[in-house]
Every structure is written in structure tokens, then in C-alpha cells.
Amino acid sequence: MDIFLQQIINGLVQGSIYALVALGYTMVYGIMGLINFAHGEVVMIGTLVTITVAGTLIKAGMPVALAALAGLTVSVLSCMALGWSLERIAYRPLRNAPRLTPLITAIGMSIVLQNLAMIVWGRNYMTFPPLLPKINFEFAGAHFTLIQVIIVLISGATMAGLLFLIYRTKLGMAMRATSQNPAVASLMGVNINRVIAAAFVIGSALGAVAGVMVGTYYEIAHYQMGFMLGLKAFTAAVLGGIGNLAGAMLGGVLLGIIEALGAGYIGDLTGGFLGSHYQDIFAFIVLIVVLMFKPSGLFGEKTGDRA
Amino acid sequence: MLEVTGLHVAYGGIQAVRSITFHVNEGEMVALIGANGAGKTSTLKAVSRVINAVGGDVHFCGEKISHIAPHDVIRKGIALVPEGRGVFPRLSVAENLRMGAFVRDDKAAIEQDLLGVFEYFPRLKEREAQLAGTLSGGEQQMLAIGRALMSRPKMLLLDEPSMGLAPIMVQKIFEVIRKVAADGMTILLIEQNAKLALESSQRAYVMESGEITLNGDSARLLDDPKVRAAYLGE
């Protein structure tokens, strides 16, 4: 029972990070039907920028809390700029190209960003500066840290903010209208280019927040970290129904919990043959099962002509 | 108010509209009628900048609008009700109407106009919170017209408002269109249902294979033997 509760807590933390990243995939897909495979790399750059900014400031003697805030701010702003540039440079010229073209471009951009990061930050694992004090809590035999609590709170607040933006503001209404019928939205006076750019910028900001949380949680970062994280967040978005915001959130949390429970019990289940380092297989089992039996995901609409 | 001169539209090598010229005066309802494929919708799409014309000029209120961005057309005061209605299926009726007012910032007046639309279409008031995708075809057409009115346009472009609707619903829709026109709105109406269009409008242009072949007072066209033979099935 201890293990069960413990793994639920761990899964919730990991899952809320997946959810934030998954929202970036699902927003862009919802508006233009594109899987932006470079999104994981945006998250990675968010993490590495934070290391540089917060790390340097702390070394220069700035209080940790301030440095953390500065790191987060710079990281969010850089990722927003990066998301905007990606759309402007890589995807907008391909707006009317066959569907496969922007998809391949996305994979290409992902490789480009990884290599750029490798050039800037090097090949080695980097230590993420400790931005939060290590405080432990215990509840019903399960242990958790202040960092975990803050990750869940921040991602919850960020997602609430996003829902407010999408469902309660004019920009959000324009984004929903554009995702349903871009030609008519344009007739209503919506500048489609701006709405698409906004989806990229907002998704990248969420990715940056996720990137800072991943760094704080694992205390380590690397130029290739965005690949697996991005793939899992993509899985979460597919699980929830790609294009659907609530789906991405639920999908992220579910995937985190499935993974954590899988990692917690895989040793017992296989008689010790497979250990918890095999936890990655659960995400991909989920992806395969969803694609085989319910490709539209938990909340997805049955449109199907978007690839 | 609307001056179209030498408008030419082509899709690849196919000439959809061959250098047509027509105008709509302020306060008028003008119909553009013709068979399927005559180029009516292409004309409307070119005027509202949904597609690019190959040649020709469009002036609205004396200003040239044939080169502005599509999303700026509504800011000039032209609202298009597209063919097939084009409501946002997963927005509520109220949200669809508010999308119509997207270019406006005067919140109080928008709420006022919302009530005005509900006055034209009481059915929409009953369905206010419903998703537009769940409405019947006729209700969606009401919504599309109401949404266009929400921008407070100087001119309304209607593309086949009767398409795919039951006769009783067509009657209802046209009742409101006439009411809107009577309230002073300038309207360019495109219709395959020539009788209905000619009965509702003051003037009309007849399109055939991308060209305007006849024009004049609607009442006179309604009695024209050529029109009667070709479009009224007599």
C-alpha cells in the first residue's frame, strides 16, 4: 500500500510536467493540424537557459529565490521567442504544403535545436542549481518533497490560467474559432497568422515552465533530454485526444501515474527480471494501445482527416 | 457603395469570372442570380478577399479594397455570410455571435446588438447556450446572418442563404432578410433560387458562364421571357 500511494504521488508530479508539455503539442495541433516535434527541444532549451541564468546569478551572489525567478522569467521569454521564430521561419512558409512536409520539417527543427544546444551548452550532463530548499513531508507512509508540491501547484495554476485564456478571453475565443474554421474566422476579422503564432508562443511558454520544473526535480539536464520528454508528452496528448486541452491535461497526469505504477511494480510482476529502469516502456505501450484501439483518444473528436 | 469593375477570377486555367462589372447602391438589395457554376460564389469570394482576383478593381465607399488582407474586409464594413453557413460548430450560439463582433471593442453596444439579433431571430435566443453544431440547418443559417450583423456592417453579402433548407425555413430566412433590408441595410444577395431572389431585391444581375448577361430592375427581370425560360422553369 505504501508503494502504491508513493507511486501515485510520484506519478502525479511527473504527470503534471507531461501535461504542461502535452498542452504545447495539442494547442498547435488543434489550430493547424501539425505535430510540432521540435516542442520537446523547446522545453530542453528552457531548462538549459535556466541553468545558465540562475546558475550565473547565484554564483554572482544573488539570493536563490531571486535568481530562480530571474531564471524562470528569462527561460519563459526565450522559449516564447523560440516558439515564435519556429513558426515564422520553419512552418509558415509551408502552410499550404502537403501535410507530410511540415511534419518532416518539425523533425528537422528538432535535430537543429538539439545540435545548437550541444554547441552552446556542450555534450556533458549539467547540474541544475538547487532553486528550492529540500524539505520532506510524510503522509500515510508516503514521502514527498516541497519541490514535488510546488511542481503540482505551479502546473495546476498554469493550466488554470490557460483554460481562462482559452475559454474566457477574446483571444481564446478567436483561437477556438480558428481551430474550427480558419477561413470563416478570417472573415470575422481574425488575423490567422497571429492566432497561429499565439498558439506557438503560449505553448512554448508552458514548455519553458515545464523545463524549469524538470530541471528542479531531477537536478540534471542535457541537450538530448527534450527527445524522450517530448515523445512522452506527445503520447500524453494522444492519450487524451490530440487537439483537446482537457485531454492533454488528463492524458499527462494519467501517463505519469501509469508510468510510476509500472515502475513501482514491474520488479514484482516479472519476478525481478525487469527493474524500474524499464519504466519508459509503459509510455510506449500506452501509445501503441491508444493508437490501436482508440486513436481519437479519451476526449478526441472523430474527425480523422488530420494526420 | 460597392463598385466592381472588370473583375476577373481564374482557378488555374479555368476562367470562373470573366471581367464583370456591377455596382450596388447604398440601401439597395441587389441579387446576383445564375445557374450552378456561373461564377456567383467566386465573385463574392473575390469581393470579400477570400480568394485573389486575377484582375479588376473593387471599390467600397470610394476606397479601393481589392488588395487588402482578408481579415480587414470586415473592418471596412463588409460582412460575408458564406455559402454553407460556416458556423463554428463547437462554439455556443452566443459565442458565434460574439465572434461576429470580433473587430469591435464597444462592449455595451455589442450586448445591445446581441439583443437586436435575438429580435430578428427569436429562435437563436432559445438556443443561446447550445453548441452551434447541434442546430438545424435553418437555425445555422439564422446564426450565420446574425453573426454577420454583429459586426455592424455597412453592407451584407449573402451567399446562397436558401441552400439545403426546407421551403418553410427558406420563407422564414427571407422574411428576416427583407426585414434587415427594410431597416436600411445594403445587401448583395447570391441565389440559385431566382424567383425568390428577384422577388426580394430591387435590382438584379444575371450571370452565365462567368459573365453578366442581363441586368435591370428585379420586377422587370421577373417578367422577362428569357429569364423565365432559363431560371424560372417556364
Side-chain angles (χ1 to χ4, degrees):
Chain A
M1 194 58 206
D2 291 359
I3 282 206
F4 183 75
L5 186 61
Q6 184 70 59
Q7 291 307 85
I8 293 277
I9 290 174
N10 293 345
L12 186 65
V13 174
Q14 184 65 53
S16 49
I17 294 173
Y18 289 157
L20 275 190
V21 183
L23 283 167
Y25 280 99
T26 228
M27 283 181 76
V28 166
Y29 183 86
I31 286 196
M32 54 188 297
L34 163 76
I35 307 284
N36 175 19
F37 275 117
H39 187 56
E41 268 57 55
V42 174
V43 177
M44 171 269 293
I45 286 181
T47 313
L48 297 186
V49 165
T50 313
I51 291 187
T52 303
V53 173
T56 312
L57 289 176
I58 288 171
K59 248 180 237 156
M62 188 184 261
V64 174
L66 267 181
L69 204 62
L72 179 66
T73 310
V74 175
S75 158
V76 167
L77 292 177
S78 336
C79 285
M80 286 167 95
L82 180 60
W84 184 86
S85 321
L86 266 182
E87 193 274 326
R88 194 72 190 78
I89 297 166
Y91 303 131
R92 191 177 298 183
L94 301 173
R95 195 73 61 73
N96 298 315
R99 295 196 98 76
L100 207 52
T101 316
L103 200 67
I104 293 168
T105 306
I107 294 169
M109 287 318 292
S110 156
I111 296 169
V112 167
L113 291 178
Q114 263 193 40
N115 282 279
L116 279 178
M118 188 188 76
I119 292 166
V120 174
W121 282 283
R123 292 173 164 279
N124 298 322
Y125 281 88
M126 300 171 75
T127 315
F128 199 87
L131 300 181
L132 289 167
K134 291 196 172 48
I135 300 171
N136 294 299
F137 302 97
E138 199 188 320
F139 173 75
H143 297 269
F144 54 95
T145 65
L146 177 68
I147 293 174
Q148 290 182 310
V149 174
I150 286 185
I151 286 177
V152 172
L153 288 181
I154 289 186
S155 58
T158 311
M159 288 190 259
L162 179 73
L163 288 178
F164 179 84
L165 174 81
I166 299 293
Y167 290 99
R168 287 283 177 276
T169 69
K170 208 169 159 182
L171 172 66
M173 188 167 70
M175 291 177 88
R176 283 181 293 143
T178 304
S179 79
Q180 295 171 30
N181 193 336
V184 176
S186 166
L187 284 178
M188 302 295 125
V190 178
N191 184 338
I192 304 300
N193 283 335
R194 266 197 222 156
V195 166
I196 290 176
F200 273 88
V201 168
I202 296 166
S204 302
L206 299 177
V209 174
V212 176
M213 298 198 308
V214 172
T216 315
Y217 194 32
Y218 292 107
E219 300 177 334
I220 205 160
H222 186 235
Y223 75 97
Q224 282 178 331
M225 62 181 274
F227 176 72
M228 189 56 96
L229 181 60
L231 218 49
K232 288 194 182 160
F234 168 67
T235 303
V238 171
L239 170 62
I242 191 137
N244 185 301
L245 294 182
M249 297 178 188
L250 183 72
V253 172
L254 267 181
L255 188 72
I257 290 175
I258 290 170
E259 241 187 28
L261 288 179
Y265 288 105
I266 189 171
D268 294 347
L269 290 175
T270 59
F273 180 64
L274 297 176
S276 62
H277 51 281
Y278 276 91
Q279 69 161 348
D280 287 348
I281 65 170
F282 293 101
F284 301 112
I285 290 173
V286 168
L287 180 62
I288 291 167
V289 168
V290 172
L291 288 178
M292 279 174 72
F293 297 106
K294 197 161 187 319
S296 59
L298 297 172
F299 292 154
E301 286 98 21
K302 297 178 196 74
T303 42
D305 68 321
R306 289 191 157 171
Chain B
M1 186 174 232
L2 181 75
E3 305 265 352
V4 176
T5 37
L7 186 74
H8 202 101
V9 180
Y11 300 102
I14 300 154
Q15 314 287 314
V17 177
R18 300 160 197 263
S19 193
I20 64 168
T21 296
F22 67 94
H23 70 276
V24 181
N25 298 320
E26 189 164 357
E28 244 187 342
M29 165 139 55
V30 171
L32 194 56
I33 61 173
N36 205 358
K40 307 185 300 293
T41 293
S42 297
T43 304
L44 216 50
K45 279 186 172 167
V47 169
S48 53
R49 302 284 301 122
V50 176
I51 55 173
N52 280 319
V54 180
D57 277 338
V58 180
H59 284 83
F60 184 66
C61 297
E63 187 185 353
K64 185 169 169 175
I65 60 161
S66 26
H67 296 285
I68 64 175
H71 56 260
D72 283 332
V73 172
I74 196 164
R75 291 182 171 82
K76 300 290 176 198
I78 300 180
L80 169 69
V81 178
E83 187 179 13
R85 299 148 202 136
V87 298
F88 302 111
R90 279 167 282 119
L91 295 190
S92 71
V93 167
E95 283 176 323
N96 266 276
L97 292 172
R98 282 174 210 284
M99 272 311 292
F102 182 78
V103 292
R104 297 170 54 187
D105 286 317
D106 44 345
K107 282 197 180 131
I110 290 174
E111 296 308 310
Q112 202 62 42
D113 290 358
L114 212 52
L115 299 179
V117 168
F118 290 148
E119 219 163 275
Y120 280 131
F121 300 108
R123 186 78 68 88
L124 294 183
K125 173 73 189 160
E126 293 165 28
R127 305 251 188 273
E128 196 177 350
Q130 225 169 293
L131 293 186
T134 65
L135 299 182
S136 75
E139 290 165 347
Q140 291 191 9
Q141 186 64 59
M142 295 177 182
L143 181 56
I145 296 174
R147 184 179 60 184
L149 290 174
M150 285 301 292
S151 67
R152 277 203 184 171
K154 295 181 189 137
M155 181 175 186
L156 212 50
L157 310 181
L158 301 172
D159 196 350
E160 304 269 8
S162 76
M163 195 171 72
L165 300 184
I168 178 125
M169 195 47 98
V170 173
Q171 287 309 322
K172 265 191 193 165
I173 298 275
F174 268 80
E175 243 167 62
V176 177
I177 292 175
R178 285 184 209 121
K179 212 187 286 176
V180 171
D183 290 346
M185 181 66 69
T186 309
I187 298 177
L188 176 60
L189 167 71
I190 280 192
E191 255 303 333
Q192 272 194 63
N193 185 336
K195 185 166 184 286
L196 196 57
L198 291 175
E199 281 170 358
S200 308
S201 57
Q202 282 106 54
R203 285 193 306 120
Y205 294 86
V206 180
M207 269 189 99
E208 235 170 278
S209 317
E211 284 167 359
I212 289 177
T213 50
L214 275 173
N215 74 84
D217 287 347
S218 300
R220 203 171 50 75
L221 287 173
L222 206 49
D223 290 331
D224 187 302
K226 268 190 290 181
V227 174
R228 294 191 81 87
Y231 300 104
L232 305 177
E234 289 175 20

